[in-house]
Every structure is written in C-alpha cells, then in structure tokens.
Amino acid sequence: MSGGKAAVAEINHFEYGWITPALSYALSVLGSFLGLVCAGRIRTATSSGQSVWWGLLAAWAIGGTAIWAMHFMAMLGFAVTGTRIRYDVPLTAASTVIAVTAVGIGLAIVGTGRLGAAKVLGGGLFTGIGVAAMHYTGMAAMRLNGDLDYDGARVALSVVIAVVAATVALWLAMTVRRGLAIAGSALVMGVAVNGMHFTGMSALSVHLHGQRGEVNGAGVSTLLVPIVLAVIFVVVGLVYALLAAPTDDDRAAAAYLDARQVTPPAAAPEPAPDPVGLRSRSATLGRPGTPFPSRRDVPPPR
C-alpha cells in the first residue's frame, strides 16, 4: 500500500453471468440492422431533406443503440470489489451525444457525392475516434472509491478496433442493400462493437482509496429505466419510419401510374377507301326517291 491507496481491486465484468453480454450484443445487432437499413435510404433519397432525415435516423440507430446503449448494458455487469459504482449524469449524457454525432458525421462524409476509398477511410477514422471517445467518456462518468488506471497498449488496441469497425460499418452502410446481407452485416458489426468495448474494459484497473467516502451520482437502477424506455421509443420510431417510407417498388409503381396518366390517346384509324363515294352520299341515301349509286356514276379515269 502506498500513497493512501490500497492494492489493485478485483474487477468482475460479468457479475450477472451471460445475461448482460448477451443483451449488449443483441442491442448492438438490432441497432446496426436498423441503422444499415436507414443508411441504405440515404443514397436512394430523392431530395437533400430526405437524405438528412435518413442520416439522422441511421446515426441514432447506430450511435445511440448499437454503440451507446450496448455500452451501458454491458456496464450493468461491471462490478468492483470493495466499492459501489455510481454515474455522473451530465457526462453520461455527453457520451451519448458524442456517439450519435460521430456516427452522423461519418455518414455525412460517405453519404454525399461519389463513394470512394478516401471517403470511407476518412469517415471511418473520424467515427472510430468518436466511438472510442464515447467509451472513455462513459468510463470517466463512473464514480467509485478508487482511481481508474489504463494500460496504454490495450487502450490503443481498442481505438484501432473502433476505427476498423467504424470503417467497415460505413462501407456496409453505403453498399449493402439486400435483407439477408444486412442481417449478416449487423451480426458482424455487433461482434466488432462488443469487441471494442471489452478490449477497452480489459485495459482498466482500479486502485481503491485507503479511506472510503460517500460515492455521489446516479445508480444503475436509476439510469436503467429511462435508458430502456429511450431505446424502446427509438426502435419503435425507427421501425415505424421504415414501414411508412415508400420502398423502391412503391416508387416504381407510382412512376408507372404517372406515365400511364400522361400517355396521349392512340390516334384514330384511317378511314377505309371509298371508291364509289358512298361515304359522301351517306347523308342522302336515307331520303325517299334517292337512286342507289352505281359504277356508272363514277367519273372515268383521266
């Protein structure tokens, strides 16, 4: 013991067993799936307003649900022997804003103009650093009777994983269109997001204070209810927006109907030949005493 600190505390990342990691993975997959579907609508949008709308929804789905909500769910299973854990609410909220903003800017980078390798790499670098900043901001929001120390090599590895995962996610968001491919991509993104989180958590060590004081902040149970409700509202809102928006088939059908409405009517058929002038005399044929025309009435050819 030195400097008023006790030995390194024992950390348990899975206090409730497989429940918290399974739920965190499910949240990351769900958010990734919805985000990929929304991102796929960005390049097919017919106006800049629609592009911005789908970009915001995709950022909320990926940044808010697949990354941040997954992080908090995984933190429910985090425990440190010898101290209670509380969370600073403003910093926790700031970590949410960081995640959503980072993903939103990354989507804006790759979603405008022609898609190229430079855009994907630049957007992935920015988004990955933002995701890592979200993670460590969320960790800084923890309040406990101890000091947090990090292993530099593992922190760097977690940032690399975040950048690679963000780059792959942005590339998939702009290229994947079919449902089965989106589902498979969401499963892969879930592995990447969780891998980044637990790599960063493995870099953490806690040195307990020699004297225990009161830990201020919100408890997990206090934050859990509003976070779960927010996730439910976000997911329901995203699903409703996706179901209400017209698909490519709907737009093609509408264009087909519009084309049929503006098609000019078909031209009337040309009249049949009238060598004896029956059509010109039709008005007088019905009168009593009118002689029936014959070939002798036809003028001889010149």
Side-chain angles (χ1 to χ4, degrees), residues 19-31:
I19 297 178
T20 51
L23 289 176
S24 65
Y25 179 72
L27 278 175
S28 61
V29 171
L30 176 62

Side-chain angles (χ1 to χ4, degrees), residues 197-209:
H197 172 82
F198 287 108
T199 300
M201 293 302 296
S202 69
L204 175 68
S205 60
V206 178
H207 296 268
L208 295 176
H209 292 160

Side-chain angles (χ1 to χ4, degrees), residues 32-121:
S32 298
F33 180 83
L34 293 174
L36 289 174
V37 175
C38 292
R41 303 291 180 90
I42 296 176
R43 288 192 168 268
T44 60
T46 57
S47 66
S48 58
Q50 289 184 4
S51 299
V52 172
W53 169 248
W54 289 116
L56 290 175
L57 292 181
W60 273 108
I62 298 176
T65 302
I67 297 174
W68 185 84
M70 169 268 148
H71 166 85
F72 190 85
M73 184 58 65
M75 291 304 296
L76 293 180
F78 178 77
V80 178
T81 302
T83 180
R84 303 169 68 181
I85 298 177
R86 295 290 185 266
Y87 291 91
D88 182 270
V89 175
L91 271 181
T92 301
S95 67
T96 310
V97 175
I98 292 173
V100 175
T101 303
V103 174
I105 295 177
L107 288 171
I109 293 174
V110 300
T112 55
R114 184 177 180 180
L115 182 65
K119 279 192 171 185
V120 175
L121 293 176

